[in-house]
Amino acid sequence: MVEKIAILGSSRGLGANLASVIAESQPNAKLFLISRTLPPIQNDQVVCYKCDLTKQDQIKGVYNFLSLNELTRIVYVAGGGPWGKYAQKDWKDHQWTLQLNLLTPAWLMHELIKNKDYQWRSLNQIVFVGSAIAESKPDPNAASYCAAKHALKGLALSVKQEYPEFDLRLFSPGYMDTMLLPPSAWPRKQADQVKSPREVAERLWAWMTQPSSNTDSNKCH
């Protein structure tokens, strides 16, 4: 079976690196890359779709587009948020963060599972990306991001127990060396806290391709 994989949040960082890893290891796979900024690659193997994942009308549009392509896997990588003291940031920045990191993946999770039997019969797996740090501990200067990741973890693990037959996974890496992590951020000041996106992408793909019977997809990795 030819893999057809959608990566939501794929213009840079983990999403872009995951696309590269999959393309290298699965030359026949078809990739659907969804992001607000289109990546500089598009060929017979790659289809790019521009979408702001904080806009409900655009989210529904990309959902309908993807539902027509008999996907085998969906990976929601998109994330981010303001860096700094919570009250010093505009409320709209926190709303944006909660929408991108929690409400959009929560809506997607709901629709995929609800419509699995007729719109998504070919879909074998859906993966959401959490945060090993932000979803379990305080994350100073990233409070709304931390709140969203806490909630996403609780949602994903609860829904997985409600629908154990559905291969729903939460992948929770540590901090990565991307533009989203400011130079002054505390993880950069601690040894071995920040990993390269390529290294994390390779680990994610290896974990995704393990059968669910061989890995505990209720756990964060």
Side-chain angles (χ1 to χ4, degrees), residues 12-14 17 175-183 188 194-197:
R12 55 186 178 178
L14 178 58
N17 279 271
Y175 281 109
M176 288 173 280
D177 186 14
T178 71
M179 295 174 60
L180 294 175
L181 188 64
R188 293 193 182 277
V194 181
K195 304 295 184 182
S196 76

Side-chain angles (χ1 to χ4, degrees), residues 161-181:
Q161 290 197 17
E162 292 178 6
Y163 300 92
E165 73 282 1
F166 194 86
D167 191 0
L168 171 67
R169 305 191 188 192
L170 180 68
F171 178 80
S172 300
Y175 281 109
M176 288 173 280
D177 186 14
T178 71
M179 295 174 60
L180 294 175
L181 188 64

